[in-house]
């Protein structure tokens, strides 16, 4: 039986929540959109009149589609060229989902999304559903076809893994702008020491080029190594201009709840660098330059006004 207008509207009302769940599970906006579209096709083929709780039904279908995707993604990422990082989302992107609690905001940060890659698909699903969307263990057990006890144990393991990461400092947009300004002033000073003072001793810098844009396969580790890399990154050069198609405009932004530096060439986002802030200083730089993972960012960038760039790089 074809879907009624009411059935379609019911699904569309759930779409933002479904996309937010899928993004946290997969770390990819494009894959999240595909998973939600496949969920709609399943909804279209179902006898919806017999579905007692559509939200629960849709969440179960979507989550299990994402679990299948995560299982195959693990094999793909073993052959991924270089480091793998999530797809960045600008502040205000509806796919970021709820942000009322610290747990919800943390669950979509670049740092936590990277940590979630270490979990099994099941642990990741439990963590996302419980921490970010506040499902009960009974509801999670029904979604994943496990016992409540198994759900609780999976959450305990997942929290333990995430807690092993660095304590993240929550900051507002004004503070994020100040941090980015201070970092860029140091990075373009031509000297290493100002940068070293901003970093934690065990700071790291990671880049994801996906084999399409040059990015170091191994992370830079240690304050001095990271500072030296950053100083070189912002040093002008013809090779860099040729690589990205021109001189990049540098803007501050908030991405996945973190302060970030955005490089834009002729309206196209060519790089997003997220800064992980801790009480001790900047602990990590995660630089997404894979063009496949910047398409949504470019579309959203074009739809909003960002004012004048801080400066032109390269």
């Amino acid at each position: 039986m074809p879907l009624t207008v009411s059935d379609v509207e019911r699904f569309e009302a759930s779409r933002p929540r479904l996309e937010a769940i899928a993004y946290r599970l997969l770390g990819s906006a494009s894959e999240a959109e595909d998973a939600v579209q496949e969920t709609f096709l399943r909804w279209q083929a179902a006898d919806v009149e017999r579905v007692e709780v559509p939200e629960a039904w849709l969440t179960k279908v979507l989550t299990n589609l994402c679990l299948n995707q995560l299982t195959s993604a693990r094999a793909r990422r073993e052959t991924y060229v270089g480091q793998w990082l999530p797809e960045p989302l600008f502040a205000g992107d509806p796919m970021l989902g709820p942000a009322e609690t610290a747990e919800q905001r943390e669950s979509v940060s670049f740092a936590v999304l990277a940590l979630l890659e270490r979990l099994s698909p099941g642990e990741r699903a439990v963590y996302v559903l419980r921490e970010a969307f506040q499902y009960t263990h009974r509801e999670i057990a029904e979604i994943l076809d496990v016992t409540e006890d198994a759900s609780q144990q999976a959450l305990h393991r997942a929290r333990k893994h995430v807690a092993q990461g660095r304590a993240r400092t929550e900051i507002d947009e004004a503070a994020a702008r100040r941090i980015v300004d201070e970092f860029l002033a140091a990075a373009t000073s031509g000297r290493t020491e100002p940068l070293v003072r901003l970093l934690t001793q065990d700071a790291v810098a990671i880049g994801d080029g996906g084999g399409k844009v040059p990015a170091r396969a191994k992370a830079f580790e240690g304050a001095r190594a990271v500072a030296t890399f950053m100083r070189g990154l912002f040093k002008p050069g013809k090779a860099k201009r040729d690589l990205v198609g021109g001189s990049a405009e540098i803007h501050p932004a908030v991405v996945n709840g973190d302060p970030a530096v955005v490089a834009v060439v002729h309206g196209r986002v060519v790089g997003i660098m997220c800064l992980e802030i801790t009480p001790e200083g900047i602990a990590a730089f995660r630089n997404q330059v894979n063009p496949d993972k910047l398409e949504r960012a470019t579309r959203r960038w074009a739809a909003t006004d960002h004012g004048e760039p801080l400066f032109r790089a390269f």
Side-chain angles (χ1 to χ4, degrees), residues 19-292:
E19 287 189 343
I21 292 173
Y23 172 71
R24 280 172 167 84
L25 286 175
L26 301 173
S28 164
S30 59
E31 290 180 5
E33 289 174 337
D34 290 344
V36 172
Q37 186 57 31
E38 180 61 29
T39 302
F40 176 73
L41 295 177
R42 303 287 179 93
W43 177 246
Q44 197 173 37
D47 185 355
V48 298
E49 290 185 356
R50 300 184 63 182
V51 177
E52 295 182 5
V53 186
E55 181 181 278
W57 189 94
L58 292 169
T59 303
K60 183 181 180 72
V61 170
L62 173 83
T63 302
N64 282 284
L65 286 169
C66 289
L67 287 175
N68 292 337
Q69 181 81 354
L70 282 171
T71 301
S72 61
R74 283 195 158 198
R76 291 202 311 276
R77 285 171 194 168
E78 287 178 1
T79 59
Y80 192 82
V81 179
Q83 301 280 339
W84 183 96
L85 290 174
E87 184 172 344
L89 299 181
F90 288 119
D93 192 314
M95 197 173 278
L96 289 170
E100 286 76 27
T101 69
E103 290 79 12
Q104 288 172 336
R105 292 188 293 274
E106 182 182 58
S107 69
V108 81
S109 73
F110 244 45
V112 168
L113 287 175
L115 285 170
L116 293 183
E117 287 292 305
R118 304 177 185 177
L119 306 181
S120 70
E123 289 169 347
R124 185 167 184 163
V126 170
Y127 183 87
V128 167
L129 293 172
R130 182 75 186 118
E131 297 292 87
F133 295 90
Q134 300 176 332
Y135 282 85
T136 66
H137 283 292
R138 174 176 293 181
E139 290 170 326
I140 294 171
E142 292 175 354
I143 290 169
L144 299 179
D145 291 325
V146 298
T147 65
E148 287 185 55
D149 184 59
S151 175
Q152 292 169 348
Q153 290 180 16
L155 180 64
H156 176 74
R157 291 193 299 271
R159 281 176 172 168
K160 186 176 180 180
H161 278 290
V162 172
Q164 289 173 354
R166 197 181 308 273
R168 179 169 172 264
T169 300
E170 286 204 63
I171 57 176
D172 58 26
E173 192 166 348
R177 173 61 186 267
R178 288 194 299 271
I179 290 168
V180 169
D181 285 347
E182 190 175 4
F183 160 67
L184 289 173
T188 56
S189 69
R191 295 181 294 123
T192 303
E193 288 306 320
L195 266 171
V196 171
R197 288 194 292 270
L198 295 178
L199 310 179
T200 62
Q201 286 302 305
D202 57 350
V204 297
I206 304 167
D208 178 351
K212 300 186 177 183
V213 173
R216 181 180 165 98
K218 189 176 184 297
F220 289 92
E221 299 180 353
R224 189 158 295 277
V226 171
T228 301
F229 165 66
M230 289 296 167
R231 188 187 66 183
L233 183 65
F234 286 96
K235 186 176 181 180
K238 182 177 182 301
K240 295 174 186 174
R241 291 192 295 273
D242 291 344
L243 178 65
V244 299
S247 181
E249 296 179 342
I250 302 300
H251 293 262
V254 176
V255 174
N256 289 70
D258 294 321
V261 178
V262 182
V264 182
V265 176
H266 305 311
R268 177 172 58 92
V269 176
V270 297
I272 295 178
M273 179 187 293
C274 288
L275 282 60
E276 182 184 342
I277 308 301
T278 73
E280 292 76 32
I282 303 174
F285 298 88
R286 295 181 174 88
N287 192 20
Q288 184 56 263
V289 292
N290 183 343
D292 293 345

